[in-house]
């Protein structure tokens, strides 16, 4: 499935050339380029991360039969914003991934 070029360009413009400064004890640092990570404070960033991480986790856990049962449903991972937790019922199960 291809994505509309204007949507891709919009996302590139949102993330390309990001800069930030840090304020510690009232002193602001020099501006520096941000090379990785989600854009802080942007409502779109957690959603973009969740979309991509869902695709990656589905591929990574394609043949994984482990996880834990919650309400009769097997859960193998939890994702929220930029955090991922892999769930298993034993250490061996985690090593089998």
């Amino acid at each position: 499935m291809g994505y509309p070029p204007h949507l891709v360009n919009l996302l590139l413009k949102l993330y390309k050339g990001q800069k930030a400064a840090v304020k510690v004890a009232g002193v602001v640092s020099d501006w520096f380029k941000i090379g990785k990570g989600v854009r802080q404070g942007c409502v779109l960033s957690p959603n973009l991360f969740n979309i991509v991480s869902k695709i990656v986790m589905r591929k990574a856990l394609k043949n994984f039969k482990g996880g834990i049962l919650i309400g009769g449903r097997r859960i193998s991972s939890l994702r929220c914003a930029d955090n991922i937790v892999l769930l298993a019922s034993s250490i061996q199960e985690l090593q089998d991934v």
Side-chain angles (χ1 to χ4, degrees):
M1 174 180 158
Y3 296 99
H6 58 280
L7 178 60
V8 173
N9 288 333
L10 178 69
L11 292 172
L12 286 172
K13 287 179 182 179
L14 178 65
Y15 279 89
K16 189 175 182 180
Q18 291 185 84
K19 291 184 178 182
V22 178
K23 186 175 184 179
V24 178
V27 179
V28 179
S29 73
D30 292 333
W31 287 88
F32 55 91
K33 287 186 178 183
I34 299 173
K36 297 181 184 203
V38 294
R39 189 177 182 101
Q40 298 298 303
C42 177
V43 296
L44 187 57
S45 294
N47 293 305
L48 289 173
F49 181 85
N50 282 333
I51 290 167
V52 172
S53 68
K54 186 174 187 175
I55 294 166
V56 170
M57 292 302 285
R58 276 191 180 161
K59 287 184 178 187
L61 300 175
K62 186 176 180 179
N63 296 317
F64 181 60
K65 303 297 181 205
I68 60 173
L69 285 175
I70 299 177
R73 187 172 179 180
R74 186 162 302 279
I75 308 294
S76 58
S77 67
L78 299 173
R79 295 178 309 278
C80 182
D82 60 352
N83 299 296
I84 299 173
V85 176
L86 184 59
L87 302 171
S89 58
S90 69
I91 293 173
Q92 182 61 44
E93 197 174 85
L94 282 174
Q95 292 175 345
D96 291 342
V97 175

